[in-house]
Structures are given as structure tokens and as C-alpha cells.
Amino acid sequence: MRVYMVRHGESEGNAKRLIYGWQDYELTEKGEEDARRCAAQLATAGFERCYTSELRRAWHTAKICTEGRGVPVVRLRALNEQFMGEYEGKPFAEFLQERGEEAERMLEDWSQAVLPGGESFGGVYRRVASAAEEIRAFGRDVLVAAHNGSLSALCAHLLGLGEEGAMCFNFEHGRVSLLECPERGRPWIEYLNR
């Protein structure tokens, strides 16, 4: 089984340099171009289902990547990005100014960051692990269009690296990655951020 992974294209929240996870921003024009580039790259990929988060930026990316293919697109809340609590939708500069040294430490290791009223990365990992098992149970090639946090958790879970292993990954906007999950034996990363 092949798991193709695409981080959504640039969103309005990215362009405005905001902190956000569940805040629901649309793709920018550049973000739509990012998604079209991924669709072209995936043109010969034989995935039979697409999983995406409930958030518009990921869903819109998924729709562009599956256009004209007759592939069902399944929205899973478990694939949503990390919830940033009180900082949802606030400028990144404001976060740095208000949190100071704590912000710097958080940026070095986001797995330890829990913003006021927000979700821990452990929470993200546990919910994404349930989605990973649903995806694995499908048993055929899939596309997953989601977010850096949820894709990192998905990849770490499928590779058997656990929650800490998720910090090894960084999925770039509008790039395709591929994880090979054989029926027997250990899975491996074929490529990241193409």
C-alpha cells in the first residue's frame, strides 16, 4: 500500500503570518497553484481514496488533487491540525512578543508546546493514530491531504516511531511525499517534499 501525502497549499492564514490550527482559512491563489502542481505530480499515482481533514484549506487541496479521477474524498476530523487555543488567528509576531523566551523554546520543540486553551501534540498524535489505523485498514493506495502536524503524526505512527518521532518531519506546503507500507515487513519513506 502506498500513502501519498500532501500538505495543503498556502492559505490566507499562512500569507498573513498567523498562528492557527482549527481556524478555517481558504487557500490563496498561490495555494491553489501549489495544489495544481501536486495534482500534476500525482497524475499517474494509482490511489483509490483520498482522506483529508475537515478544514477548507486541506479539503480544497484534496479536491484539486482528485479532480476528474472519480476518487472518493473522505473528511476526517482526526486529521485536523493542532488546535492553538487562545492564539488561534493571532499574528505570529504577537505570539513572539507576548511569550518571549518561552516562544523560542516552543519553536525549538513544538511537541512540548501547549498554548493556553490549546491542544497538546500528544492529543494530536492520539487522534491521528486512530485515523492512521482507518487508512491502513483500507489496504489500497491512498492520498492524504492534511497539515504539517497531522501528516507528521501520521507518518511517525505508520513507521512505528511513536509521538517523539513526529518531530523528525516537516511537510512543506504544496509538496508531495510518499510512504510505502508493504503488507509484510517494515514501511519506509520513498520521498519527502517533492
Side-chain angles (χ1 to χ4, degrees):
M1 150 180 211
R2 292 178 167 187
V3 180
Y4 295 91
M5 296 171 284
V6 171
R7 182 180 179 186
H8 63 82
E10 180 189 70
S11 75
E12 293 169 354
N14 298 126
K16 294 176 181 175
R17 296 205 28 85
L18 303 176
I19 289 184
Y20 69 103
W22 289 10
Q23 192 95 18
D24 212 2
Y25 294 103
E26 292 287 351
L27 293 178
T28 62
E29 188 175 312
K30 180 187 179 310
E32 289 182 10
E33 290 171 15
D34 292 340
R36 284 192 291 276
R37 185 180 59 250
C38 289
Q41 192 175 344
L42 292 164
T44 60
F47 57 85
E48 299 180 40
R49 184 176 287 175
C50 176
Y51 293 91
T52 186
S53 81
E54 292 182 328
L55 301 167
R56 289 182 297 204
R57 58 193 182 270
W59 181 83
H60 192 178
T61 299
K63 293 302 280 183
I64 291 170
C65 287
T66 60
E67 189 173 358
R69 294 178 70 128
V71 172
V73 177
V74 179
R75 290 173 115 166
L76 296 177
R77 182 183 183 97
L79 292 174
N80 284 6
E81 184 56 285
Q82 185 174 2
F83 178 61
M84 299 301 174
E86 294 174 16
Y87 280 89
E88 283 280 339
K90 289 190 177 183
F92 198 74
E94 184 177 321
F95 164 70
L96 291 174
Q97 183 179 13
E98 288 180 9
R99 307 300 281 199
E101 287 182 23
E102 180 188 9
E104 295 299 328
R105 285 192 305 278
M106 291 167 86
L107 292 174
E108 288 176 18
D109 185 1
W110 198 262
S111 68
Q112 303 304 310
V114 183
L115 295 175
E119 178 182 26
S120 70
F121 190 78
V124 175
Y125 185 84
R126 286 186 293 279
R127 66 176 160 79
V128 171
S130 69
E133 291 309 310
E134 180 176 335
I135 292 166
R136 191 190 327 244
F138 180 65
R140 295 188 296 281
D141 293 359
V142 298
L143 169 65
V144 180
H147 314 271
N148 186 47
S150 54
L151 289 174
S152 296
L154 175 71
C155 201
H157 181 77
L158 291 174
L159 289 168
L161 300 175
E163 182 182 330
E164 286 183 12
M167 294 303 112
C168 296
F169 302 103
N170 183 41
F171 290 86
E172 296 176 16
H173 290 285
R175 298 287 180 198
V176 178
S177 300
L178 173 59
L179 184 65
E180 295 275 359
C181 295
E183 198 171 309
R184 286 185 289 280
R186 296 184 61 81
W188 69 90
I189 298 167
E190 187 68 27
Y191 55 82
L192 281 172
N193 296 317
R194 265 199 192 157

